[in-house]
mmCIF file of all heavy atoms in Angstrom:
data_model
loop_
_atom_site.group_PDB
_atom_site.id
_atom_site.type_symbol
_atom_site.label_atom_id
_atom_site.label_comp_id
_atom_site.label_asym_id
_atom_site.label_seq_id
_atom_site.Cartn_x
_atom_site.Cartn_y
_atom_site.Cartn_z
ATOM 1 N N ASN H 227 112.016 105.190 128.543
ATOM 2 C CA ASN H 227 111.230 104.135 129.343
ATOM 3 C C ASN H 227 109.869 104.631 129.794
ATOM 4 O O ASN H 227 109.361 104.350 130.792
ATOM 5 C CB ASN H 227 112.054 103.703 130.605
ATOM 6 C CG ASN H 227 111.603 102.345 130.940
ATOM 7 O OD1 ASN H 227 111.136 101.585 130.160
ATOM 8 N ND2 ASN H 227 111.943 101.988 132.189
ATOM 9 N N TYR H 228 109.297 105.412 128.813
ATOM 10 C CA TYR H 228 107.908 105.799 129.039
ATOM 11 C C TYR H 228 107.019 104.747 128.354
ATOM 12 O O TYR H 228 105.941 104.958 127.829
ATOM 13 C CB TYR H 228 107.563 107.098 128.203
ATOM 14 C CG TYR H 228 107.928 108.416 129.010
ATOM 15 C CD1 TYR H 228 109.111 108.590 129.729
ATOM 16 C CD2 TYR H 228 107.005 109.499 128.950
ATOM 17 C CE1 TYR H 228 109.344 109.794 130.341
ATOM 18 C CE2 TYR H 228 107.340 110.701 129.537
ATOM 19 C CZ TYR H 228 108.559 110.786 130.202
ATOM 20 O OH TYR H 228 108.847 112.012 130.995
ATOM 21 N N VAL H 229 107.303 103.558 128.596
ATOM 22 C CA VAL H 229 106.556 102.444 127.977
ATOM 23 C C VAL H 229 105.232 102.293 128.344
ATOM 24 O O VAL H 229 104.342 101.913 127.595
ATOM 25 C CB VAL H 229 107.513 101.126 128.061
ATOM 26 C CG1 VAL H 229 106.787 99.907 127.505
ATOM 27 C CG2 VAL H 229 108.930 101.283 127.509
ATOM 28 N N ARG H 230 105.025 102.356 129.655
ATOM 29 C CA ARG H 230 103.548 102.183 130.134
ATOM 30 C C ARG H 230 102.676 103.198 129.451
ATOM 31 O O ARG H 230 101.613 102.865 128.987
ATOM 32 C CB ARG H 230 103.591 102.331 131.666
ATOM 33 C CG ARG H 230 104.293 101.102 132.353
ATOM 34 C CD ARG H 230 104.207 101.258 133.902
ATOM 35 N NE ARG H 230 104.898 100.177 134.535
ATOM 36 C CZ ARG H 230 105.070 100.031 135.890
ATOM 37 N NH1 ARG H 230 104.500 101.064 136.629
ATOM 38 N NH2 ARG H 230 105.630 99.075 136.413
ATOM 39 N N ALA H 231 103.081 104.474 129.522
ATOM 40 C CA ALA H 231 102.337 105.445 128.900
ATOM 41 C C ALA H 231 102.178 105.289 127.391
ATOM 42 O O ALA H 231 101.077 105.447 126.813
ATOM 43 C CB ALA H 231 102.866 106.825 129.210
ATOM 44 N N GLY H 232 103.257 104.848 126.728
ATOM 45 C CA GLY H 232 103.302 104.533 125.295
ATOM 46 C C GLY H 232 102.314 103.461 124.947
ATOM 47 O O GLY H 232 101.684 103.684 123.931
ATOM 48 N N THR H 233 102.105 102.409 125.695
ATOM 49 C CA THR H 233 101.242 101.329 125.293
ATOM 50 C C THR H 233 99.787 101.857 125.391
ATOM 51 O O THR H 233 99.001 101.522 124.624
ATOM 52 C CB THR H 233 101.399 100.195 126.301
ATOM 53 O OG1 THR H 233 101.370 100.578 127.591
ATOM 54 C CG2 THR H 233 102.783 99.501 125.951
ATOM 55 N N LEU H 234 99.472 102.726 126.369
ATOM 56 C CA LEU H 234 98.105 103.282 126.518
ATOM 57 C C LEU H 234 97.796 104.163 125.321
ATOM 58 O O LEU H 234 96.645 104.089 124.790
ATOM 59 C CB LEU H 234 98.048 104.036 127.826
ATOM 60 C CG LEU H 234 98.146 103.273 129.073
ATOM 61 C CD1 LEU H 234 98.119 104.114 130.300
ATOM 62 C CD2 LEU H 234 96.920 102.254 129.194
ATOM 63 N N ILE H 235 98.762 104.954 124.950
ATOM 64 C CA ILE H 235 98.576 105.888 123.831
ATOM 65 C C ILE H 235 98.309 105.191 122.531
ATOM 66 O O ILE H 235 97.538 105.469 121.791
ATOM 67 C CB ILE H 235 99.702 106.932 123.753
ATOM 68 C CG1 ILE H 235 99.754 107.714 124.975
ATOM 69 C CG2 ILE H 235 99.641 107.868 122.505
ATOM 70 C CD1 ILE H 235 101.066 108.553 125.195
ATOM 71 N N MET H 236 99.201 104.193 122.259
ATOM 72 C CA MET H 236 99.101 103.470 121.007
ATOM 73 C C MET H 236 97.699 102.696 120.843
ATOM 74 O O MET H 236 97.125 102.703 119.799
ATOM 75 C CB MET H 236 100.221 102.473 120.796
ATOM 76 C CG MET H 236 101.499 103.053 120.598
ATOM 77 S SD MET H 236 102.913 101.867 120.228
ATOM 78 C CE MET H 236 103.041 101.044 121.724
ATOM 79 N N ALA H 237 97.271 101.948 121.984
ATOM 80 C CA ALA H 237 95.998 101.294 122.061
ATOM 81 C C ALA H 237 94.928 102.268 121.869
ATOM 82 O O ALA H 237 93.906 101.943 121.145
ATOM 83 C CB ALA H 237 95.827 100.487 123.325
ATOM 84 N N LEU H 238 94.996 103.391 122.330
ATOM 85 C CA LEU H 238 93.779 104.474 122.333
ATOM 86 C C LEU H 238 93.947 104.908 120.802
ATOM 87 O O LEU H 238 92.673 105.036 120.325
ATOM 88 C CB LEU H 238 94.251 105.693 123.160
ATOM 89 C CG LEU H 238 93.228 106.676 123.277
ATOM 90 C CD1 LEU H 238 91.949 106.207 124.074
ATOM 91 C CD2 LEU H 238 93.707 107.889 123.967
#
Side-chain angles (χ1 to χ4, degrees):
N227 211 17
Y228 275 46
V229 174
R230 293 181 181 180
T233 53
L234 293 174
I235 294 167
M236 291 189 296
L238 187 70

